[in-house]
Amino acid sequence: MKKLMKSLVLLAPLAVLTSCEGGKNGGNGEMKGHFDHEVTIKFSQAYGQKYQPTLQAMIDDFKEKEPNVVINLEDGWISGNYDTIHTNTCNDMKTGEYGDLVIAYADHVADYMDYGKAVQLDPYINNPEYGFTEEEKEDIIQGFMTEGQSLPIPGTWCLPFSKSTEGMFYNKDRLVGLDLSAYDASINNGSPLTESYLANLTWEELFGKLCPAFEKYDLAHPTSPLIIQNEKGINSYVGYDSDSNLFITLAEQYGYGYTSMDEYGNPSIDFVNAGMKEQVSVFAQAAKKKYFASAGCVGGSYCSSYFTAQNCLFCIGSTAGVANQNSTEFQVGVTRIPQAQGKAAKIISQGPSLCILSHGDKDRVLASWLLYKHLTSSENSALWATTVGYLPVRDSSYTDEVYQDYCDETGKEPRSLELLSALNAQYSSTVSQYVFSTPAFKGSSTARTQVGAVILNAMKDARDGKNVDSAYLDKVFQDAQQNVLKDM
């Protein structure tokens, strides 16, 4: 009894202080939010200055729920890119000044796990008080969730935030209605090209029928070809922005293997196989015929600059880069990237997630989790998607009024970015069930770089007239594998 009375005496001053701080705790003596003291967290992110007001507005709303949580976006903002944040965070771990809620790719999170700083998030996701409800768990797009669960230790280590995928942007004025029956009567059953036909292309149809027909059309119309050749001689029908994404996507679409991880978290390098060697050969020959080129093949950062200059008819790139694909000179369409004939549709998941890093303070971890949950509510996920151009991470966000208005073409000017953004959002909302991700582990970022170099160099060498034969492929694949193994 004496111990209980002593405790009550000690707690009394705290109760007085709580009631005096009405602005932070509701004004009636009751604590507002999850904390009765100030908790400061750092949100490490690199979104451009024009997006900071939207983030700040969402954080201001969060402060209404959690008045004792302090988040300074300016201190957490890092000018640069996601790799810069990764580098800085790893360096800052030596001083203790790293972020709490950190934008990151899964590869980066694997490194933070090696440092022992990444927080496993399942206890927060499943917490009955402040976790996700069963409905919310089902609402998060599973293809995006899987990425954060494909790391060496079982569990969830990062959660989706700014997600995107790839789309195929095309010159609608040149392609829709184009009659190629004189060159190949089997294309679209002899009818002019339609948006539906383009939405269901396979790589086999593209390289075996469509591109050869384009070539014949251009030979028959020398004064009005389908594409304009620029001063560098770049005149491929299809451009692809990312060599690494191309290789990884082909491996997934055809089921030949790229990397994998067993139930114990042990990674495996699987890309040295006959199937992927054959695919690289196919794309090398397509590059040689000037049917296909990546940005690396033609010396550019992205193929979108060649697409908007009408040096190519198609450009496959990130749905988050829609602004780079728009043209005021012609109508741009967007649709699904080509698939493997006879296989299930697969499109790569892109864009960063958010992870939480530990500083040995459970309140900072909880505050970071609560902020993540707020930023990715159904309404906020829709708002963020329309602001930045990424995909909502919740299924329910796609039916949110804000996102529906964003998708609506009504009243939007032809050839405007606003219209293309609406078309891009419409497309993106139909493919979330097809997205895939690959395991992240020590060396996975090297694997990505190496396979990108394999297919890029094969295409460049083929364009330059070099012989990309089986001996060539055996060597470059083996070299790539050895380079990955060194970093594992």
Side-chain angles (χ1 to χ4, degrees):
M1 185 70 176
K2 289 181 179 179
K3 288 183 178 180
L4 175 60
M5 291 299 296
K6 185 176 181 181
S7 297
L8 290 173
V9 170
L10 290 172
L11 288 172
L14 293 178
V16 173
L17 286 173
T18 300
S19 63
C20 289
E21 293 187 11
K24 289 189 177 182
N25 295 307
N28 57 1
E30 296 180 1
M31 185 177 74
K32 186 176 181 181
H34 287 81
F35 307 99
D36 61 0
H37 59 282
E38 192 171 274
V39 179
T40 301
I41 61 173
K42 178 181 177 181
F43 182 12
S44 295
Q45 45 84 32
Y47 295 103
Q49 291 285 13
K50 68 177 181 178
Y51 303 126
Q52 299 298 312
T54 301
L55 270 181
Q56 188 63 60
M58 290 194 290
I59 285 172
D60 289 345
D61 287 341
F62 175 74
K63 290 279 289 179
E64 290 295 313
K65 301 176 184 178
E66 299 290 343
N68 285 325
V69 178
V70 177
I71 308 139
N72 190 323
L73 272 188
E74 186 175 347
D75 285 350
W77 183 71
I78 299 173
S79 178
N81 56 34
Y82 306 127
D83 288 334
T84 303
I85 287 183
H86 173 232
T87 300
N88 289 357
T89 299
C90 289
N91 290 335
D92 291 343
M93 284 178 175
K94 301 168 186 175
T95 65
E97 298 302 321
Y98 54 92
D100 295 271
L101 188 63
V102 180
I103 201 84
Y105 289 115
D107 292 337
H108 301 161
V109 180
D111 287 339
Y112 303 151
M113 292 171 71
D114 278 347
Y115 279 97
K117 300 298 185 181
V119 174
Q120 190 184 57
L121 299 170
D122 301 274
Y124 296 88
I125 293 170
N126 298 319
N127 186 278
E129 178 191 351
Y130 49 72
F132 283 144
T133 64
E134 291 304 314
E135 184 181 10
E136 286 176 316
K137 290 176 186 177
E138 293 179 5
D139 197 27
I140 301 287
I141 293 171
Q142 188 56 44
F144 296 154
M145 279 291 290
T146 301
E147 183 178 26
Q149 298 165 341
S150 302
L151 287 129
I153 301 174
T156 306
W157 297 92
C158 59
L159 291 162
F161 184 52
S162 291
K163 305 308 291 181
S164 63
T165 186
E166 288 186 326
M168 183 167 70
F169 299 88
Y170 61 91
N171 188 323
K172 197 171 179 179
D173 289 352
R174 294 285 179 95
L175 290 170
V176 175
L178 179 65
D179 188 350
L180 297 171
S181 59
Y183 315 106
D184 188 336
S186 68
I187 293 175
N188 201 28
N189 296 316
S191 298
L193 302 186
T194 61
E195 292 184 68
S196 177
Y197 169 80
L198 297 174
N200 291 282
L201 274 179
T202 63
W203 296 113
E204 289 79 4
E205 177 86 3
L206 180 63
F207 294 149
K209 294 183 177 182
L210 198 55
C211 286
F214 290 155
E215 191 173 34
K216 292 173 184 176
Y217 179 97
D218 281 347
L219 288 172
H221 300 81
T223 59
S224 56
L226 292 170
I227 55 177
I228 299 170
Q229 185 170 345
N230 73 2
E231 66 278 4
K232 294 182 180 179
I234 299 162
N235 58 344
S236 297
Y237 295 114
V238 185
Y240 205 123
D241 275 339
S242 172
D243 299 293
S244 298
N245 281 3
L246 173 59
F247 187 105
I248 295 167
T249 297
L250 292 171
E252 184 74 17
Q253 288 179 345
Y254 285 91
Y256 291 142
Y258 163 57
T259 61
S260 60
M261 189 182 297
D262 67 19
E263 60 183 313
Y264 303 106
N266 300 310
S268 175
I269 306 304
D270 308 323
F271 59 75
V272 182
N273 60 72
M276 284 314 299
K277 289 177 185 178
E278 175 61 25
Q279 283 303 307
V280 170
S281 178
V282 166
F283 277 78
Q285 294 309 307
K288 183 176 182 178
K289 295 174 182 177
K290 304 294 181 70
Y291 293 168
F292 187 91
S294 69
C297 286
V298 294
S301 299
Y302 298 101
C303 284
S304 53
S305 58
Y306 305 116
F307 173 67
T308 55
Q310 302 187 67
N311 305 138
C312 53
L313 293 171
F314 301 93
C315 182
I316 299 172
S318 172
T319 53
V322 61
N324 299 316
Q325 307 286 357
N326 192 52
S327 172
T328 59
E329 300 299 318
F330 58 92
Q331 295 183 82
V332 179
V334 58
T335 194
R336 192 176 70 179
I337 72 170
Q339 298 294 311
Q341 186 171 290
K343 303 285 188 178
K346 299 288 184 179
I347 310 173
I348 199 166
S349 173
Q350 295 194 130
S353 298
L354 289 175
C355 68
I356 297 175
L357 302 182
S358 173
H359 294 76
D361 184 335
K362 66 182 188 304
D363 286 343
R364 288 173 70 169
V365 174
L366 176 58
S368 299
W369 159 254
L370 294 171
L371 177 57
Y372 170 80
K373 187 178 176 185
H374 174 78
L375 293 174
T376 56
S377 69
S378 184
E379 289 182 3
N380 283 337
S381 185
L383 174 62
W384 187 240
T386 60
T387 301
V388 184
Y390 285 94
L391 303 180
V393 300
R394 289 177 178 257
D395 282 321
S396 59
S397 299
Y398 290 91
T399 59
D400 186 271
E401 185 178 355
V402 170
Y403 197 76
Q404 287 292 303
D405 288 344
Y406 185 66
C407 292
D408 190 358
E409 300 173 50
T410 306
K412 293 174 181 175
E413 291 293 323
R415 303 181 182 180
S416 67
L417 177 57
E418 188 181 24
L419 175 59
L420 182 56
S421 295
L423 297 174
N424 186 56
Q426 289 176 28
Y427 156 74
S428 299
S429 67
T430 67
V431 298
S432 59
Q433 69 270 35
Y434 304 133
V435 297
F436 73 91
S437 56
T438 56
F441 50 86
K442 183 174 173 57
S444 59
S445 59
T446 303
R448 176 179 171 81
T449 302
Q450 288 295 313
V451 297
V454 165
I455 199 164
L456 167 61
N457 290 330
M459 290 190 295
K460 286 175 67 175
D461 286 345
R463 281 177 73 105
D464 293 341
K466 296 180 182 178
N467 189 20
V468 180
D469 56 13
S470 59
Y472 173 102
L473 293 170
D474 287 344
K475 184 179 188 309
V476 295
F477 270 79
Q478 288 297 332
D479 288 348
Q481 182 184 50
Q482 290 303 311
N483 288 334
V484 178
L485 292 174
K486 289 176 184 176
D487 279 357
M488 289 178 64

